[in-house]
Amino acid sequence: MAEEEKESRYVSLSEVKSLLSEEAEHRELSYEQSLALGHAEKFVKLSLEDTEDLINELLENFDFISEELAFKTADILPKDKDGVRAVFQQDRYTPSNDEVEEIINLIKKYL
């Protein structure tokens, strides 16, 4: 029997919250799932729709932002220059001060 290839994709913390909340209505969650849902409930600040919109805007407006960084930015929602720079710390590209300001202003639009 050939092993099926599983498709992987990035998932925002808002989507994790939505998926696990919906699943919890139908059955008891495992210990790990309950912990993940608790974490998501504690830290998610945007609705799933707003998170998806923010991710899409980040990807559309900033050609240097990868899908991974867009999701990370939408999950963390950095509010200052240091926070945005922390998101990009492991990336090859370092956004300019103007680009950092644009990212912060975009995030503020959703907060």
Side-chain angles (χ1 to χ4, degrees):
M1 184 166 125
E3 200 172 308
E4 270 187 50
E5 279 190 45
K6 293 192 179 199
E7 184 180 325
S8 65
R9 66 180 178 92
Y10 293 105
V11 180
S12 68
L13 200 51
S14 293
E15 187 173 357
V16 169
K17 178 182 172 186
S18 175
L19 292 170
L20 289 175
S21 294
E22 187 175 313
E23 193 65 25
E25 293 176 11
H26 303 291
R27 66 175 181 85
E28 188 173 332
L29 297 178
S30 70
Y31 175 74
E32 292 83 1
Q33 290 169 326
S34 294
L35 287 177
L37 178 57
H39 176 82
E41 288 173 338
K42 184 174 182 178
F43 292 104
V44 167
K45 294 179 179 75
L46 299 179
S47 69
L48 178 56
E49 183 179 323
D50 283 348
T51 300
E52 290 171 349
D53 290 345
L54 174 57
I55 290 167
N56 289 330
E57 281 200 60
L58 287 165
L59 292 170
E60 289 170 12
N61 295 327
F62 304 99
D63 59 354
F64 58 87
I65 294 183
S66 65
E67 188 177 15
E68 177 186 9
L69 290 175
F71 274 81
K72 188 183 289 189
T73 301
D75 284 343
I76 296 171
L77 298 170
K79 295 175 182 66
D80 56 29
K81 289 180 181 184
D82 290 337
V84 173
R85 287 202 175 90
V87 171
F88 285 86
Q89 188 172 8
Q90 301 297 318
D91 197 56
R92 289 185 199 150
Y93 184 82
T94 302
S96 68
N97 285 335
D98 289 342
E99 291 167 332
V100 169
E101 282 298 323
E102 289 178 43
I103 292 168
I104 291 169
N105 289 332
L106 181 59
I107 291 168
K108 285 180 181 177
K109 176 177 143 182
Y110 287 92
L111 293 175

